[in-house]
Each structure stands twice: as structure tokens, then as C-alpha cells.
Amino acid sequence: MLAKVWSAALVGIDAIKVGVEVDIAGGLPGIVVVGLPDTAVQESRERVKAALKNASYAFPMRKIVINLTPADLRKEGPSFDLPISVGILAASEQVNPQLLEDYLFLGEVSLDGGLRPVAGVVAIAATAYQLGIKGLIVPIDNAREAAVVEGLEVYGFQHLSEVADFLNHPSHHQPTRINGAEELARSRFQGLDLKDVKGQAQARRALEIAAAGGHNLIFVGPPGSGKTMLARRLPGILPPLTFEEALEVTQIHSVAGLLKDKGSLVSDRPFRSPHHSASGPSLVGGGSFPRPGEISLAHRGVLFLDELTEFKRDVLEFLRQPLEDGHVTISRTRQSVSFPAKFTLVASTNPCPCGYFGDTVQPCTCSPRHREQYWAKLSGPLMDRIDLQVAVNRLKPEEITQQSLGEESENIRLRVQQARVRAGDRFQNETLHCNAEMQGRHLRQWCRLEDATRILLENAIRRMGLSARATDRILKVSRTIADLEGSENLQTAHVAEAIQYRTIDRMQ
């Protein structure tokens, strides 16, 4: 007898509907899996056989052929265990096949028949809804994350016997329901607060501008000046995720298998901080079956690169295209996969190998040549893409011992949200989310300069040797500063402040 069950395979953060055809016919007992299965799918034969027997179902002692369609798509992972099990039960007439056409099945099966969670369920649920699939049958641990996709019936089960009972008696079971928008509205950010940072007024101001406009930022200063402390507090002043953004982030983290401890929906903006020994593929994504890297896991959030000059230069060059385009494309022989990567880059570094160049207390022991080699690790094109370049100086003794707290992150976040609302009003007919995403035509429309302001900018370009890209970045930062002040037009003061954040562009 022949039975067909629907499942899905991941391609990047998208999913493709996969048919699992099970045919039980005469011949020597055995299971054959065809349709480009990987090793994990091939091993499902033994898992499914043991699971059905231990769950007290009769395993057909005949030849079983399992075909995964489309045949030219590589299938990987253990998520096909459940649809294969259901297909065998249906083909051997142990469950009612009537509902198989309406539902999509996912899950790993343990040897005792229990269902174990799999990765990428949110992406598959979104695809199932777009294809008009009625519902999704998943392990209980995946049910809440799949249920964030509205308009889809999601049933979560703990054991194979529960799935069989659902197919035979669907009215005995209720789908998992959650309201993702309400859960997101109830969430409260529990991160670090800027009020703990003493002094560093300019660095705090730069963080506020970066949050309001989505601008990339680098802190340069001696050890112990607070660079890392400042950077780790940026998520606390970013505006909350919208439901659409939260769904995007959740989909990426689901594909990467990082939702186990995050419930149904990622409610906080991501903060990723890879070690400086990270490789290029670990940053941008890759592998035989491409998976999202750190820049995609930081989508709609923050990518923090501490000790930037300790990263390999060729690894840093991987960031140039994603910083400009907001996505990364990974090409392999059989397929090309695109991952979203709209993140705010925050970096920190010392001014020289010893860390004390320009420090007022500790003398620098580095030669000019060593400092030049140190900064040569950061290419000009990469530094052009960093909008805000801020020198963080050593704290004064009276600042270290002061007892008063700085301004709370919540107050700064309100100003950031107001600035984003002003920007959003301009972007009503555009696909932009923040000022950092503006292109040339947007700058010509919304960043017009008066004569005095234009002369100031031209002088800065000549004196500092700024590129056209760096100049555009100055205009974007100026637009954000104007939004924070509630100004419709760019003033000379806005551009002057933006220019001062380029003064360490090629620090030697």
C-alpha cells in the first residue's frame, strides 16, 4: 500500500515542502530511503523501526521504499523521523490517512517513540501558512514557537502514540494557541543599564546617536576606560522589536537551533559578541548546508567585536558587503542561500599595541612603525563603513569615585524611539527602517545643506581626506542628530557634531 505524508526541508532560513512517500510491497524485508537523504536521514530507518516496535505498533516485515520529493533537493537532519513513522503507519493501515493531506509533520523520534524537538520550525511554519497547509504536527517542545505564525493550527505531542491517536480521533485534541503580539508587548528588557556608566559623556552621546539611527560605532581607548561596558549597554536603549522584526529574528534563531531557552518568540534585540579567533564562515555563515553566522544571528540587533584589531584582517573584510547590503549570500555548488544581516556593528579597540597611546597617565611604549602596523589591520573601506568613531579617554579620579548615577537607559530609549518615529514618518513610502539605511537619493531629498554648512563639510573633506562614502555617513549621522533634536532641517551644528565622530578615521 502507498501513503504520502508532507514534511519540509530548510534552505537557508526558508523552507521547501517535501513529500514523504512510503510504499509497502512484497519482497525481502528492509527499508530503502531515496531522494538525496543525508546520513541523519538514512539513520532514521533504525530509529523509526525501533520506535514503532517499542510503541507497540506492528512493523511490516516487508520491503518498504521511502521516497523524499523533490528528488533533486538534499534532505538533512532528523526532522523526517516523524513523517516517515506516520507514513509507515498509514501505509500499513494502522492510522487513518484522511488527514495526511492537510497537515505537515516534523520531529525526531527517539527509540521509545518519544518526540524530540528539531530546528527551523518557525521558518517551516511560515512556509506552511503561505502554501495553504491547514496545520503542523510537531514535538511538544516546538509547539509554542510554531504557534507564533498566525492562521496555522499547531499540535504538539510528546509521543508517537499521541500522533496516531490524533490521526484517528482528531476531535480529542486541541491546537496550541498563543498571541505573539501580546507576548511581545508584555516582555520587558532585562539587560544592562547605562546609569552604571560613570563619566564618558561623549561616548554616551555616540551610543544614543547610534541607537537612534542604526549607525555603526567604534570605541578607541586605553584598557579600563569602559569601552566594553558602554557597548554592552547599547541594546538597552534600542527601541523594542516590532512583531514583524521579532518574527524575523525568531526565524533565524530557530534555524540555528537557538530557541530552546527563549520560549516562543525572541523579544529582545540580539546581542552577539564572537571571540576574536572567529573564522570568516563563523561570522557570515556557511558550511556544506549553509547555516546563519554571527552577523545573521545579530539581525535587527547588535554585533559587538571586542578588540577589533585582534581579528584577522581577512575575516574583517568579510563584513564589508553585509554592512553595505544588509544581507549575505553564500554560494555552493548545488545552491545559493541568502541570509538577512541588518545589524548595528559596535567595535572596540586599543589605540596601539600596548594600549596607552595618547593616555595622560601611562606612557606609550610603541614605536610609530608598530602603531602603523597595528592600525593597518583595519582597511580604509571597512573604517568608511563605521559611522561613529569615538575616542574613550581614561576616567578622572573624581569621576571614578563619584556616587551619583548617570541617566537611565529607559529615558534615553524614549528619546531614541521619538527620533525613530520622526524618521519613520519620512520613510512611509520607502522600505527603510532607520537613517543608516538611506541611499544617495534619500540624502539628496532629506539632507539638504545651506551654503555655510556645505562649506564646513567641504573643508572637512579636504582636511581629513574623507571618501564619498564617509561623507555620506556624515550626512546620515547629521540627519539622526537633527531627529534627536526634533529638527526638520540640517543645521551647521548637526553636521559639525557628525564630523567630529570621524576624527580617528585612520589613527596612527
Side-chain angles (χ1 to χ4, degrees):
M1 185 176 176
L2 176 67
K4 187 171 184 178
V5 182
W6 292 113
S7 188
L10 290 171
V11 179
I13 63 168
D14 299 316
I16 294 179
K17 189 178 180 183
V18 171
V20 180
E21 300 174 334
V22 179
D23 179 63
I24 300 177
L28 293 175
I31 303 177
V32 178
V33 182
V34 296
L36 283 183
D38 74 343
T39 303
V41 179
Q42 290 281 11
E43 291 175 348
S44 68
R45 296 175 299 180
E46 303 303 324
R47 289 194 297 270
V48 168
K49 184 177 180 179
L52 291 175
K53 288 184 176 180
N54 291 327
S56 301
Y57 291 102
F59 188 83
M61 298 307 294
R62 303 173 70 184
K63 183 177 181 180
I64 301 175
V65 178
I66 300 169
N67 180 37
L68 307 177
T69 62
D72 60 345
L73 175 68
R74 186 77 172 174
K75 289 80 175 181
E76 61 167 333
S79 62
F80 294 100
D81 288 4
L82 179 57
I84 289 174
S85 301
V86 171
I88 293 175
L89 290 175
S92 59
E93 301 181 340
Q94 298 182 72
V95 297
N96 189 345
Q98 184 176 354
L99 298 179
L100 297 184
E101 185 67 26
D102 298 329
Y103 290 88
L104 192 148
F105 296 78
L106 291 168
E108 179 183 347
V109 176
S110 60
L111 298 185
D112 63 354
L115 302 184
R116 299 173 60 84
V118 293
V121 170
V122 176
I124 293 172
T127 298
Y129 174 74
Q130 294 168 3
L131 294 175
I133 298 291
K134 182 178 180 180
L136 209 62
I137 310 300
V138 297
I140 188 68
D141 291 339
N142 287 133
R144 287 183 60 81
E145 64 175 284
V148 301
V149 179
E150 297 178 354
L152 193 69
E153 292 182 8
V154 176
Y155 292 88
F157 298 112
Q158 292 181 325
H159 197 271
L160 192 58
S161 60
E162 298 177 10
V163 179
D165 186 67
F166 167 77
L167 293 173
N168 292 325
H169 308 96
S171 61
H172 295 176
H173 302 270
Q174 295 297 322
T176 300
R177 290 188 175 91
I178 67 168
N179 190 316
E182 288 184 1
E183 285 204 357
L184 189 63
R186 287 196 300 265
S187 66
R188 291 291 182 271
F189 181 76
Q190 302 295 325
L192 303 173
D193 200 305
L194 260 177
K195 69 180 181 181
D196 300 325
V197 178
K198 298 179 179 180
Q200 305 298 3
Q202 186 185 37
R204 292 169 63 98
R205 170 68 171 173
L207 277 179
E208 183 175 343
I209 295 171
H215 302 291
N216 302 320
L217 168 68
I218 183 172
F219 290 127
V220 181
S225 56
K227 304 185 295 296
T228 301
M229 186 178 187
L230 284 159
R232 291 189 178 279
R233 281 155 175 77
L234 177 57
I237 63 174
L238 288 170
L241 287 169
T242 65
F243 180 72
E244 291 74 18
E245 289 175 335
L247 202 56
E248 286 180 28
V249 175
T250 302
Q251 188 168 330
I252 296 170
H253 284 241
S254 175
V255 169
L258 300 178
L259 279 186
K260 295 179 182 178
D261 302 322
K262 297 183 180 180
S264 59
L265 200 66
V266 177
S267 57
D268 294 333
R269 291 190 179 270
F271 183 89
R272 305 294 299 182
S273 181
H275 191 261
H276 59 74
S277 61
S279 64
S282 71
L283 278 183
V284 301
S288 300
F289 302 98
R291 286 289 182 264
E294 292 291 340
I295 62 173
S296 295
L297 294 174
H299 180 63
R300 302 298 182 193
V302 178
L303 177 68
F304 176 46
L305 301 184
D306 200 7
E307 302 297 341
L308 184 66
T309 48
E310 297 301 322
F311 284 80
K312 295 180 180 179
R313 178 173 175 136
D314 60 334
V315 171
L316 294 178
E317 295 306 299
F318 279 103
L319 297 175
R320 286 165 55 176
Q321 180 259 335
L323 283 172
E324 201 71 24
D325 299 339
H327 68 270
V328 59
T329 301
I330 301 171
S331 297
R332 294 291 181 265
T333 303
R334 298 185 62 90
Q335 63 181 353
S336 180
V337 177
S338 182
F339 293 112
K342 291 185 178 180
F343 59 92
T344 298
L345 173 64
V346 180
S348 69
T349 186
N350 294 328
C352 65
C354 78
Y356 294 103
F357 179 68
D359 188 48
T360 57
V361 177
Q362 184 79 18
C364 175
T365 59
C366 304
S367 67
R369 179 177 178 79
H370 286 160
R371 289 196 294 269
E372 183 179 351
Q373 292 174 342
Y374 183 76
W375 281 95
K377 297 178 183 179
L378 307 181
S379 67
L382 178 63
M383 293 299 289
D384 273 352
R385 289 169 169 81
I386 300 180
D387 306 358
L388 301 163
Q389 304 168 356
V390 183
V392 181
N393 299 317
R394 178 192 294 268
L395 288 175
K396 298 177 182 178
E398 57 270 23
E399 291 177 323
I400 296 175
T401 58
Q402 71 180 15
Q403 298 299 315
S404 59
L405 298 175
E407 186 177 13
E408 294 183 357
S409 291
E410 185 62 30
N411 296 335
I412 302 174
R413 180 189 251 192
L414 290 175
R415 293 199 297 270
V416 167
Q417 287 180 260
Q418 292 170 359
R420 291 246 182 168
V421 168
R422 294 186 187 101
D425 291 340
R426 290 194 302 272
F427 302 152
Q428 286 182 354
N429 300 320
E430 303 285 346
T431 57
L432 306 177
H433 289 81
C434 57
N435 290 332
E437 297 177 7
M438 291 192 296
Q439 303 298 319
R441 62 186 180 88
H442 305 126
L443 297 178
R444 290 190 295 271
Q445 182 178 357
W446 295 317
C447 298
R448 295 173 180 168
L449 303 178
E450 298 178 352
D451 290 341
T453 308
R454 182 179 294 104
I455 292 172
L456 171 68
L457 182 57
E458 289 173 355
N459 289 335
I461 294 172
R462 294 190 190 96
R463 185 174 66 255
M464 301 169 63
L466 298 175
S467 66
R469 182 188 290 115
T471 304
D472 285 348
R473 301 276 174 173
I474 288 176
L475 292 176
K476 294 176 185 179
V477 173
S478 302
R479 181 66 267 173
T480 299
I481 295 172
D483 287 341
L484 285 168
E485 295 187 1
S487 174
E488 289 296 324
N489 300 317
L490 291 190
Q491 306 295 331
T492 302
H494 303 151
V495 176
E497 182 178 358
I499 290 173
Q500 75 172 341
Y501 295 122
R502 307 294 306 189
T503 52
I504 57 172
D505 215 336
R506 290 298 294 168
M507 189 173 181
Q508 299 295 326

